[in-house]
Amino acid sequence: MSNDSYTPPRVWTWDKDNGGKFASINRPIAGPTHDRELPRGEHPLQLYSLATPNGVKVTIMLEELMELGIAEAEYDAWLIRIAEGDQFGSGFVGVNPNSKIPALLDTSVNPPLRVFESGSILLYLAEKFGHFIPQDLAGRTECLNWLFWQMGSGPLLGGGFGHFYAYAPEKFEYPINRYTMEVKRQLDVLDRQLAEHRYVAGDEYSIADMAIWPWYGGVATNQVYEAAEFLEAHSYTHVLRWAEEVGQRPAVQRGRQVNRTWGELDEQVPERHSASDFDH
């Protein structure tokens, strides 16, 4: 690649070697690349995931339900190694045709019900078990406002800022500046909301916090992209207060470990099939 101005061709063609860190798993077509059935455990919920921020959203939710003692929410968490293309196996594509983690299979119903996209999974579990979403119309609406705020804003943080700042094969000023401006605007939106509320959607902890914390809490505390200094994260004091409080929850700490295969060994639980898996 060069610093010369790029002129798009009349018809785009796929360069398999272009794309940085994840070039080997990015492609312009959908569907499976190989036959591979997914494993099934004994619990009602089967999760297929990796401990990226999107995956952590769901494992936090499941561990929060476990913390409440809801036996029907017991789950098996199977590792999907996205760098190795596990998400393109036929079994995974059957659960999520979009080939992205996380994906959930609810075997407590007949036939089993697939749920994909992290926001959809959070909402499904909240409604199924009646927790972590307000029951009154105003509270529920505000919670969903922020859940969908994250779903709409997150790609600009991850696929935009994160890609060009951390993963692109070369650093270019324009995209980094463009997405940095947007991420800082998003952090300011969140900071202003948290200046007036303990949690994102109000006074109660909810799926809105679970969706937003792994991304924006992670960025603010330098756990995602190692960009806290670059973004002046210290200036978003209300985000940092909230990030620390949510991060102290036992279920959040467990949820961060599930399907994790990097970092400190005592923080890794590549697969989770029972509470004893956390007894390192």
Side-chain angles (χ1 to χ4, degrees):
M1 297 178 67
S2 72
N3 291 324
D4 296 335
S5 179
Y6 170 68
T7 301
R10 292 186 63 184
V11 177
W12 181 83
T13 57
W14 180 25
D15 179 359
K16 294 183 179 181
D17 296 325
N18 186 17
K21 181 176 180 179
F22 298 104
S24 64
I25 61 171
N26 291 331
R27 59 196 185 109
I29 55 175
T33 60
H34 58 282
D35 290 327
R36 182 182 178 187
E37 292 302 312
L38 290 175
R40 293 260 193 110
E42 63 180 22
H43 297 309
L45 300 174
Q46 301 295 300
L47 178 68
Y48 305 96
S49 192
L50 184 70
T52 66
N54 283 335
V56 167
K57 298 176 191 177
V58 176
T59 49
I60 286 175
M61 175 59 164
L62 290 167
E63 287 300 322
E64 292 285 7
L65 293 170
M66 292 289 93
E67 190 81 5
L68 294 177
I70 301 174
E72 294 80 7
E74 262 290 7
Y75 71 104
D76 293 281
W78 303 94
L79 181 63
I80 299 296
R81 298 180 184 272
I82 61 174
E84 298 176 16
D86 290 351
Q87 69 275 32
F88 299 119
S90 57
F92 189 90
V93 174
V95 179
N96 184 357
N98 196 37
S99 292
K100 302 290 185 181
I101 62 94
L104 181 74
L105 193 66
D106 185 352
T107 66
S108 70
V109 295
N110 189 22
L113 188 61
R114 73 181 187 184
V115 194
F116 60 90
E117 297 300 325
S118 58
S120 179
I121 297 173
L122 289 176
L123 182 56
Y124 177 81
L125 294 172
E127 292 185 331
K128 180 180 178 72
F129 297 109
H131 290 281
F132 303 114
I133 186 169
Q135 299 303 303
D136 64 290
L137 179 61
R140 173 185 169 84
T141 301
E142 183 69 357
C143 178
L144 294 182
N145 286 340
W146 288 101
L147 174 65
F148 287 102
W149 176 84
Q150 191 284 319
M151 299 300 292
S153 299
L156 298 172
L157 170 57
F161 174 79
H163 176 77
F164 286 105
Y165 181 81
Y167 300 135
E170 295 183 49
K171 298 289 191 292
F172 290 100
E173 182 178 6
Y174 175 78
I176 291 176
N177 282 348
R178 168 66 181 85
Y179 287 112
T180 298
M181 178 174 63
E182 173 60 16
V183 169
K184 287 180 70 65
R185 188 194 68 81
Q186 293 175 4
L187 286 166
D188 193 41
V189 169
L190 196 58
D191 200 61
R192 290 168 185 264
Q193 175 69 4
L194 289 166
E196 299 180 0
H197 304 281
R198 180 179 178 184
Y199 296 109
V200 172
D203 294 330
E204 300 295 328
Y205 176 69
S206 73
I207 56 174
D209 300 285
M210 298 178 201
I212 295 169
W213 184 85
W215 280 109
Y216 294 87
V219 166
T221 58
N222 211 41
Q223 301 300 307
V224 175
Y225 305 133
E226 297 184 346
E229 181 180 8
F230 180 72
L231 294 168
E232 295 182 298
H234 66 275
S235 65
Y236 304 104
T237 56
H238 305 292
V239 173
L240 287 171
R241 183 271 306 163
W242 163 83
E244 182 177 354
E245 180 176 353
V246 173
Q248 292 301 312
R249 296 177 68 91
V252 171
Q253 294 177 4
R254 294 196 303 272
R256 286 189 66 250
Q257 298 178 42
V258 178
N259 296 143
R260 188 177 182 89
T261 59
W262 59 88
E264 298 296 329
L265 286 177
D266 62 357
E267 295 183 350
Q268 299 181 29
V269 181
E271 291 186 0
R272 187 270 188 207
H273 303 290
S274 72
S276 65
D277 291 327
F278 296 101
D279 299 332
H280 302 306

